[in-house]
Amino acid sequence: MLISIENAIIHTISADNQGKLTCQLSPKPLSQSQALDDTLEELHRIYTSKAGKGYGHFGIQGDDGEANVEFKNALQAMLSEQQDFTAFSAKAGKLLEQELGKYDFAQGGFLLLATYSHMACDYLFVALLSAKPSLTIGSDLELAHNEHLDLNNLQLAARIDLTEWQRVADSNKYISFVKGRAGRKVADFFLDFMGCSEGSNAKAQSKALLEVVEKSLTQQEMDQDQSQQVRELVFNYCSEQLDAGAPVQLDVLSEQLSETGLQDFSSYADSAEIALEQEFHADKAQLRQLKKFSGTGGGVSISFEGMHLGQRVIYNAEADTLTIHGVPPNLKDQLKRRGQ
């Protein structure tokens, strides 16, 4: 197994006769089963691989005028064994019900809470899952309608690194959450019921990392091949950390970069007057800039591997031109068909 499950429970969010969303509480945790193992392992995999997650921490009463500390207090009570998992989940369900009452939601779903461990870290996973209609074939070989949990469409979910929360008092990134296609606004109500405030910004930190990389390459006057090797190493290390759901650690990255000839990267990052944290989660979209150049405008889209700049692709800043040597075969075929 990828994870070790301690407890899991599902509460139902549905509309009453007046159309108000209410939380129907389950009286006990889910029984240990292969179905539970498979479901949580799949959710763990899907969540970990989600791109563009946000990171935050429990807010302090008074932050922005409305930080809710009830979820945090209930979680602390569970961890200190003052109440059990079922009682904690019931409190969480009612807090979500109260938060949903502030919005005009048309449908509910299933509130899943689970505690599990993975790679020596303990987590609390919280998700509002939806059901998806589907067809099945019964024992009488007739088609029948049913519903199943739509795990792949995971839009409202958060994971609390309980280990980091308890060990690192000033951490601002022990809660991660799915931002959604339209940004954090999609999940505002979901984070508010937990009292979560956004902290470390993965996109901003990754952008700062790229800036430090380029400035350090310029300062140490590395040639094109060495520079490309550095960018590849930074991309690979950050991608591996991202895929594992782990943060980028500047001291570890600096040690690896020293093998390429780029010395004292961590120290340079400290003195570069760029707000780069010693430990942060990476953003995949920003990391791609280490390997590729891309841009769109005026009906033209261009993308190419960074290693080709200065060789197959020549940029002339004064003339504002980009010269490509060796046109891709499929593009060449299209151009020939047009007679260009």
Side-chain angles (χ1 to χ4, degrees):
M1 289 179 59
L2 294 175
I3 63 176
S4 177
I5 303 167
E6 183 177 356
N7 281 300
I9 198 167
I10 293 179
H11 302 309
T12 303
I13 307 293
S14 57
D16 60 17
N17 294 333
Q18 286 74 43
K20 178 184 176 182
L21 289 177
T22 60
C23 183
Q24 180 181 345
L25 301 175
S26 173
K28 61 180 181 179
L30 295 167
S31 301
Q32 294 293 328
S33 66
Q34 189 61 50
L36 175 61
D37 293 345
D38 292 344
T39 299
L40 285 182
E41 285 198 1
E42 180 66 2
L43 282 170
H44 172 80
R45 183 193 66 78
I46 292 171
Y47 183 84
T48 301
S49 63
K50 277 279 186 180
K53 287 194 288 289
Y55 296 86
H57 56 98
F58 287 125
I60 301 172
Q61 190 73 46
D63 277 8
D64 302 324
E66 56 180 59
N68 187 346
V69 298
E70 292 188 61
F71 184 95
K72 179 184 73 171
N73 292 342
L75 181 55
Q76 286 177 323
M78 183 193 74
L79 295 176
S80 61
E81 299 183 349
Q82 295 177 33
Q83 66 177 2
D84 63 15
F85 175 79
T86 302
F88 158 70
S89 74
K91 178 65 175 179
K94 288 304 178 182
L95 287 172
L96 179 59
E97 178 184 288
Q98 293 171 19
E99 193 63 33
L100 287 171
K102 302 175 184 178
Y103 300 85
D104 184 22
F105 280 86
Q107 61 183 25
F110 300 95
L111 175 62
L112 168 68
L113 297 105
T115 52
Y116 67 85
S117 60
H118 173 68
M119 300 287 288
C121 287
D122 296 326
Y123 295 100
L124 171 68
F125 184 74
V126 186
L128 187 58
L129 305 173
S130 59
K132 183 178 181 180
S134 63
L135 290 172
T136 187
I137 299 177
S139 58
D140 56 358
L141 300 183
E142 291 289 341
L143 288 172
H145 289 281
N146 69 356
E147 291 188 335
H148 68 270
L149 291 176
D150 191 5
L151 303 185
N152 288 317
N153 187 30
L154 190 64
Q155 296 299 320
L156 295 170
R159 186 169 65 188
I160 302 171
D161 187 331
L162 301 174
T163 301
E164 181 173 348
W165 178 39
Q166 293 174 307
R167 291 180 181 175
V168 187
D170 60 349
S171 174
N172 66 351
K173 55 181 173 28
Y174 51 80
I175 302 176
S176 62
F177 55 90
V178 177
K179 277 197 169 185
R181 297 182 182 89
R184 183 184 180 276
K185 292 294 184 182
V186 174
D188 269 359
F189 83 91
F190 191 69
L191 297 180
D192 288 345
F193 106 88
M194 293 187 295
C196 175
S197 298
E198 190 163 9
S200 179
N201 187 309
K203 182 176 180 180
Q205 286 296 298
S206 297
K207 187 174 181 179
L209 173 64
L210 301 189
E211 189 175 346
V212 171
V213 168
E214 294 306 319
K215 285 190 174 183
S216 62
L217 290 174
T218 300
Q219 186 183 54
Q220 298 196 26
E221 299 180 344
M222 303 192 80
D223 62 32
Q224 184 169 336
D225 289 341
Q226 290 176 312
S227 296
Q228 191 58 36
Q229 184 182 0
V230 166
R231 295 187 187 100
E232 288 279 348
L233 190 152
V234 174
F235 178 84
N236 291 337
Y237 168 73
C238 292
S239 295
E240 289 171 1
Q241 295 298 100
L242 186 62
D243 291 342
V248 171
Q249 296 178 319
L250 277 190
D251 56 347
V252 175
L253 178 59
S254 180
E255 184 177 346
Q256 293 187 17
L257 286 173
S258 64
E259 298 177 6
T260 69
L262 188 67
Q263 301 299 322
D264 302 321
F265 179 78
S266 183
S267 298
Y268 179 80
D270 289 339
S271 61
E273 297 184 356
I274 298 174
L276 184 60
E277 299 172 6
Q278 285 295 312
E279 186 174 291
F280 61 90
H281 289 270
D283 178 80
K284 194 75 169 183
Q286 293 295 316
L287 291 178
R288 292 193 187 100
Q289 297 179 42
L290 289 164
K291 292 179 67 69
K292 284 189 174 183
F293 289 95
S294 61
T296 301
V300 176
S301 296
I302 297 175
S303 177
F304 59 91
E305 297 286 342
M307 68 181 71
H308 297 311
L309 185 63
Q311 299 179 24
R312 286 186 59 190
V313 182
I314 309 298
Y315 174 54
N316 187 321
E318 294 183 1
D320 192 27
T321 60
L322 202 65
T323 304
I324 301 174
H325 298 278
V327 179
N330 55 350
L331 177 56
K332 186 187 297 184
D333 290 342
Q334 294 175 58
L335 293 172
K336 286 182 176 179
R337 286 197 296 271
R338 291 289 183 93
Q340 300 297 320

